[in-house]
């Protein structure tokens, strides 16, 4: 029996959304994430207004978007935040604070793509708000948000969307004492995963989230706020379809390739996604334990797997994509970078072709949705 | 007679960027001269950092900016040396290191992905050299023109700029006469044949740009904050001396040799001018005094060989014939100016242009030892 211990994969080394603006890029396949940003918009607006209505008017306001990725969603978030600051300062008849906007993502993110859009972003802001609106300085802060990114007490508002479900690494403890995989034929939690795998994932999330909170605690001023939006689940059971099924179907697609001899089963057994969809109770427990933040409000939203993609197609004249194909493209744009170093880039087209079929078949029978959690926090004084 | 259409004023920030990636014509592989220039300013940088840290107000947080950082190995070399300087000084004074915020600035089109790709190993090296006792430092990128605001008010303690301030915000206006005819014919920068109005236009553009640069930094820097600026300059009042013009003169001649062979239209050369200016110290001091926020603490002029730092460069370390001086210089210049030439002349002529340029430079260097003049000037923000 071949035993080769798998190197623990640091998420920061391999995970990035697909770059550029091509057919498989994140920039053109992030409609679901765009929909998710819309869900958090009311909470974001409310948080900004509350910060500006506090007794300490900030002369300088630090704003961070953690896990910003690239493509059109990035500057959309910032644009909406600036709109809210502008509206609130007009309403309160006060001078706008000097705004510092930090865009954070991992070192491998395509920041050049974002920067290429900044000149027109600045022109648009000037056009909409006039030159009376205070200065706004946009910068990029590469690095993992599971650790310090900003100077002490420099942030007033932190936003994170579609990022905190990514763990800092694949959990340890997914192999037994002999190095045999415990999560065989799967790449994430599933109904067949043993309890120790479920516990390993939950513990990794708690550790990561705790480090996230402790780091932000240092960086955020008293009264500063965070709006966090991530894939989650509504039940205590982490193996429900809503939180696992997109991975379950991907594992099945991989296993069909194994059964046809295109892929070794050991490859699937030794791969696990550095991802976790928490429930609110898990998050609240860590927040309370870390002690720096109070939960202000929270909400759970159901998101269709192909949300926001109704009219998407390769071109107006070509046959529209099936639901399965649209979902497969969205998932591919996110996970391809981590699958490739493990399985090889040569199998990607075939894998996602099969995945599209498996998803299409699934969606034709049942309406599975993602659960997106939005949680607002306030830094205690 | 055909009257040429008026040339759109070229905004530098839209087209200028160093050649990306790590290939043969990339800036990362062809920036030895700039590396040498960084070394010239090292004493001034160290001194400025020590003075900041020895001031009566010990900074709890220290903002550090590198303006015009480009990409490739030089970008993080500067930051590494600055961190070394802060570390050595805090150890010497037996004080806790301030929290450092390091801003890397360049134009929107700069290859920041290249720099970020090197950051993980940079962080590991810092931790290895300084231990985890060294305070926190945070590296971020600030894209945009330094001819304007980039940072929040009173957030910078030290600003550094190397091989960047000679780039103007745009090509000067006034390089055409009333009928739209080019006044700087057959040249792409100042030369001995340029009329006085062209010389004045360039000088005026530099003064305007530098004044805006100073006013912006004035808002961003704390009282007692310091700047070390390093740029191509000249030592005489005459802006057409060989030391400050000749690399452009030879490039213009290379272009004109292509015109004479029918490979390029002369109008293309007439209508192109570089958004570049090599000032003398007097011009800079005058603007500094006029703007009023900064005092000059020291300045220095260094002669830099055109092929400085490239002695051992070749196509490959093991098998290639060593490059001639001309070829090395041509690569260095190409890595910097190709992006702006391509947008005007087309990318298809670049290989041929720089092949000819290499020959011209080789011929020139075999007869005379022309150098760049690099100015290093240290400023302190008044209270």
């Amino acid at each position: 029996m071949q035993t080769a211990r798998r190197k623990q994969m640091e998420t920061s080394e391999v995970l990035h959304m697909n770059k550029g603006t091509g057919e498989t890029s994140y920039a053109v396949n992030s409609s679901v994430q765009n929909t998710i940003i819309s869900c958090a918009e009311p909470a974001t607006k409310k948080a900004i207004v509350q910060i500006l209505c506090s007794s300490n008017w900030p002369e300088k306001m630090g704003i961070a978007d953690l896990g910003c990725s690239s493509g059109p969603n990035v500057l959309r978030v910032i644009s909406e935040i600036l709109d809210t600051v502008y509206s609130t300062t007009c309403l309160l008849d006060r001078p706008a604070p000097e705004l510092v906007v930090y865009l954070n993502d991992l070192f491998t993110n395509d920041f050049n793509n974002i920067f290429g859009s900044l000149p027109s972003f600045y022109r648009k802001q000037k056009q909409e708000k006039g030159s009376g609106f205070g200065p706004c300085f946009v910068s990029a802060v590469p690095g993992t948000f599971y650790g310090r990114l900003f100077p002490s007490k420099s942030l007033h508002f932190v936003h994170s969307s579609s990022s905190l479900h990514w763990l800092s690494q694949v959990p340890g403890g997914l192999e037994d004492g002999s190095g045999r995989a415990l999560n065989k034929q799967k790449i994430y939690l599933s109904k067949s995963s043993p309890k120790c795998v479920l516990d390993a994932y939950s513990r990794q999330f708690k550790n990561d989230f705790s480090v996230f909170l402790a780091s932000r605690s240092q960086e955020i001023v008293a009264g500063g706020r965070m709006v966090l939006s991530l894939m989650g689940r509504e039940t205590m059971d982490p193996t429900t379809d809503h939180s696992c099924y997109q991975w379950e179907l991907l594992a099945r697609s991989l296993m069909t390739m194994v059964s046809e001899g295109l892929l070794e089963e050991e490859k699937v057994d030794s791969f696990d996604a550095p991802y976790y969809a928490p429930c609110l109770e898990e998050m609240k427990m860590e927040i309370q334990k870390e002690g720096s933040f109070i939960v202000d409000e929270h909400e759970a939203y159901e998101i269709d797997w192909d949300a926001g993609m109704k009219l998407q197609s390769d071109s107006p004249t070509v046959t529209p994509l099936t639901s399965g194909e649209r979902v497969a493209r969205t998932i591919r744009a996110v996970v391809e970078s981590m699958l490739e170093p493990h399985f090889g880039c040569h199998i990607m087209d075939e894998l996602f072709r099969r995945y599209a079929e498996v998803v299409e078949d699934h969606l034709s029978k049942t309406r599975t949705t993602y659960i997106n959690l939005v949680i607002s926090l306030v830094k205690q004084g």
Side-chain angles (χ1 to χ4, degrees), chain A residues 100-163:
Chain A
V100 190
V101 175
Y102 302 105
L103 302 173
N104 158 258
D105 208 298
L106 297 172
F107 297 107
T108 46
N109 187 49
D110 190 1
F111 286 103
N112 288 0
N113 167 276
I114 304 169
F115 292 165
S117 305
L118 276 178
S120 59
F121 172 82
Y122 283 130
R123 282 194 292 270
K124 184 166 173 278
Q125 294 302 310
K126 192 159 193 170
Q127 182 181 312
E128 288 177 356
K129 301 176 173 65
S131 49
F133 189 50
C136 170
F137 306 106
V138 179
S139 64
V141 180
T144 173
F145 51 49
Y146 296 125
R148 288 287 302 273
L149 290 168
F150 309 101
S152 301
K153 298 185 173 60
S154 58
L155 297 179
H156 296 74
F157 179 70
V158 170
H159 173 274
S160 181
S161 184
S162 300
S163 298

Side-chain angles (χ1 to χ4, degrees), chain A residues 2-185:
Chain A
Q2 178 191 359
T3 59
R5 181 166 180 85
R6 170 186 52 212
K7 178 199 171 195
Q8 291 295 346
M9 184 177 70
E10 292 263 341
T11 308
S12 62
E13 288 173 20
V14 294
L15 174 64
H16 58 77
M17 309 301 117
N18 278 358
K19 301 184 179 184
T21 55
E23 187 182 272
T24 64
S25 69
Y26 184 76
V28 304
N29 293 290
S30 42
S31 310
V32 170
Q33 290 86 348
N34 194 41
T35 299
I36 285 168
I37 286 168
S38 296
C39 293
E41 197 178 330
T44 299
K45 282 186 170 177
K46 186 173 175 183
I48 298 279
V49 172
Q50 285 171 322
I51 291 164
L52 291 171
C53 286
S54 73
S55 52
N56 301 319
W57 179 264
E59 236 178 77
K60 291 183 191 180
M61 190 171 169
I63 294 165
D65 185 4
L66 305 179
C68 64
S69 72
S70 59
N73 290 336
V74 181
L75 293 179
R76 176 198 161 185
V77 173
I78 301 307
S79 186
E80 286 172 3
I81 291 172
L82 296 188
D83 288 351
T84 306
V85 172
Y86 180 65
S87 301
T88 309
T89 53
C90 288
L91 187 70
L92 300 179
D93 197 23
R94 303 196 67 165
E98 215 175 41
L99 302 175
V100 190
V101 175
Y102 302 105
L103 302 173
N104 158 258
D105 208 298
L106 297 172
F107 297 107
T108 46
N109 187 49
D110 190 1
F111 286 103
N112 288 0
N113 167 276
I114 304 169
F115 292 165
S117 305
L118 276 178
S120 59
F121 172 82
Y122 283 130
R123 282 194 292 270
K124 184 166 173 278
Q125 294 302 310
K126 192 159 193 170
Q127 182 181 312
E128 288 177 356
K129 301 176 173 65
S131 49
F133 189 50
C136 170
F137 306 106
V138 179
S139 64
V141 180
T144 173
F145 51 49
Y146 296 125
R148 288 287 302 273
L149 290 168
F150 309 101
S152 301
K153 298 185 173 60
S154 58
L155 297 179
H156 296 74
F157 179 70
V158 170
H159 173 274
S160 181
S161 184
S162 300
S163 298
L164 269 160
H165 43 249
W166 294 112
L167 303 169
S168 65
Q169 65 181 75
V170 178
L174 299 190
E175 298 172 350
D176 66 14
S178 320
R180 281 163 43 97
L182 292 167
N183 204 29
K184 288 178 71 63
Q185 299 183 4

Side-chain angles (χ1 to χ4, degrees), chain A residues 32 35-36 39 301-307 368-372:
Chain A
V32 170
T35 299
I36 285 168
C39 293
Y301 298 89
E302 288 189 350
I303 310 285
D304 285 328
W305 280 15
D306 60 350
T368 311
T369 55
Y370 301 124
I371 300 296
N372 191 70

Side-chain angles (χ1 to χ4, degrees), chain A residues 28 42 59 130 185 200 207 210 244 270-271 288 303 348 360 365:
Chain A
V28 304
E59 236 178 77
Q185 299 183 4
N207 287 350
S210 185
C244 294
S270 63
F271 181 85
Q288 188 173 28
I303 310 285
M348 291 299 124
E360 183 67 22
K365 294 171 189 160

